[in-house]
Amino acid sequence: MTDRLDCIVIGAGIVGLAAGRRLAMAGLDVIVLDTEDQIGSHTSSRNSEVIHAGIYYPSGSLKARLCVAGKVALYEYCRVKRIPHARIGKLIVATGPDDEAILASIEASAHGNGVCDLEWLTAREVASCEPQVAATAALKSPSTGIIDSHAYMLSLQGDLEACGGSLVLKNSVDSVAVEPGGFALTCGGEPRASVRCRYLVNAAGLWAPSVAARIDGLDPTCVPRGYLAKGHYFTYQGPSPFAHLIYPVPADGGLGIHATNDLSGTARFGPDVEWVDALDYSFRDDRKGIFVAAIRRYFPALNPDKLLPSYTGLRPKLSARGEPAADFRIQGSDTHGVAGLVNLYGIESPGLTASLAIADHVHSILTCDEAS
């Protein structure tokens, strides 16, 4: 490994690869490190693969701003790079008066974020476009879509390497020391290595708080506590019964057990929310009853026998069970006082959608550090 670099990005998920790509495009010598033997092994490959519109998030929040900007950039990137994707739209469905009131607040939130293409559908209009869906009303989001996240990550990696950047897998970061003009890292790969860099980006996803805690010279009070929310996904045997993505109104810790189509036309349901204390991808078959009850609220014809266990994923949370959803936390030197360091915490949904905009944001933070 090179003794002195411009930049090291810790984490080769979607956000880490996007950040590494952006910094390499800016002419920096970049290495993206990851402990796993392949890119995107965790949150980036265990999600719904949805391109979000930017509907739910508080106006002015990082999630809102970066999702809306990232959506535009991601669709253009997919078009230029020919990444498999489809702008199929989604329906957020109400199954009663209380849900309809929530839909109205969701629409207001979307407008505050500059998402003004939502359409109200009556029960009859829902039945016309989605005959299998039972709803008293719905909000249609035409700019929501789906993407092949693995093809997207491979493309980001290709861009990184085409710009002179490198990907180094099976390399853990054991310790980091802040020193004049940059950072000294000790990495635990084979063989062990020490490397110095001018800029350091912590995009370690589920492990971002623990990585930050290993940075000697970073004020520990700037490192937030992280929580883990596990989500199960079931696939539905046979062709998808839906033309759009179907979402209920949001639930505690997530957007509710929703129906998404993949690019092959198969429907999957999830995720649910199970709060856990450690990395755990085991599948609990006893969650099926929870899924059946939730799905039948908007898809009464559900055949439980066609609901098959698929996979689980973990989301890095900054809020605990029962607390309001936290925003992304992207900390630069204006927050923690360490020039050249960017820590990204709580990058869950809509992290995939926002990834290119997050990368631009990271670049702008480091550019400001360089100017000062």
Side-chain angles (χ1 to χ4, degrees), residues 22 172 229 274 301 309:
R22 179 66 182 86
S172 62
E274 178 190 359

Side-chain angles (χ1 to χ4, degrees), residues 287-304:
R287 305 295 284 185
K288 185 171 181 177
I290 296 172
F291 272 71
V292 169
I295 296 165
R296 277 185 168 160
R297 291 190 62 198
Y298 59 84
F299 179 34
L302 171 76
N303 180 349

Side-chain angles (χ1 to χ4, degrees), residues 23 82 88 112 168 182 201 234 282 359:
L23 296 169
R82 299 186 178 180
I88 64 174
V168 178
V201 178
F234 285 81
S282 62

Side-chain angles (χ1 to χ4, degrees), residues 26 49 68 77 82 123 139 177 191 252 254 257 283 298 327 348 351 372:
E49 296 188 298
V68 172
Y77 184 88
R82 299 186 178 180
L139 275 177
D252 175 43
I257 294 175
F283 201 102
Y298 59 84
D327 196 9
E348 52 166 334
S372 61

Side-chain angles (χ1 to χ4, degrees), residues 253-271:
L255 298 180
I257 294 175
H258 47 265
T260 60
N261 294 341
D262 64 22
L263 290 163
S264 70
T266 299
R268 58 188 166 201
F269 293 93

Side-chain angles (χ1 to χ4, degrees), residues 59-222:
S59 179
S61 66
L62 281 175
K63 284 185 177 180
R65 289 161 38 210
L66 296 175
C67 182
V68 172
K71 171 187 65 176
V72 175
L74 183 54
Y75 274 127
E76 177 62 12
Y77 184 88
C78 288
R79 184 190 68 80
V80 171
K81 296 286 187 173
R82 299 186 178 180
I83 306 299
H85 71 290
R87 197 186 301 234
I88 64 174
K90 83 174 177 183
L91 304 186
I92 310 170
V93 299
T95 57
D98 291 344
D99 284 355
E100 290 180 35
I102 295 173
L103 285 189
S105 67
I106 290 172
E107 182 183 36
S109 176
H111 284 174
N113 295 338
V115 182
C116 301
D117 61 350
L118 301 186
E119 307 168 27
W120 274 93
L121 301 183
T122 65
R124 179 176 294 180
E125 289 169 330
V126 172
S128 176
C129 66
E130 290 288 0
Q132 299 287 343
V133 174
T136 58
L139 275 177
K140 180 179 179 181
S141 169
S143 63
T144 301
I146 54 177
I147 183 174
D148 183 336
S149 59
H150 298 275
Y152 176 44
M153 285 189 282
L154 287 171
S155 183
L156 292 173
Q157 178 186 344
D159 292 345
L160 166 72
E161 293 170 344
C163 292
S166 301
L167 174 68
V168 178
L169 300 173
K170 296 191 288 187
N171 244 276
S172 62
V173 176
D174 294 342
S175 64
V176 180
V178 177
E179 60 181 23
F183 308 87
L185 285 72
T186 301
C187 300
E190 293 294 339
R192 292 175 62 84
S194 296
V195 61
R196 285 177 164 79
C197 60
R198 183 160 47 124
Y199 302 125
L200 181 64
V201 178
N202 172 12
L206 300 169
W207 293 273
S210 64
V211 167
R214 292 177 223 152
I215 302 176
D216 184 16
L218 175 66
D219 183 350
T221 64
C222 293

Side-chain angles (χ1 to χ4, degrees), residues 28-41:
L28 299 180
D29 184 18
V30 179
I31 283 183
V32 177
L33 296 178
D34 201 282
T35 59
E36 304 296 344
D37 60 2
Q38 59 185 344
I39 60 175
S41 297

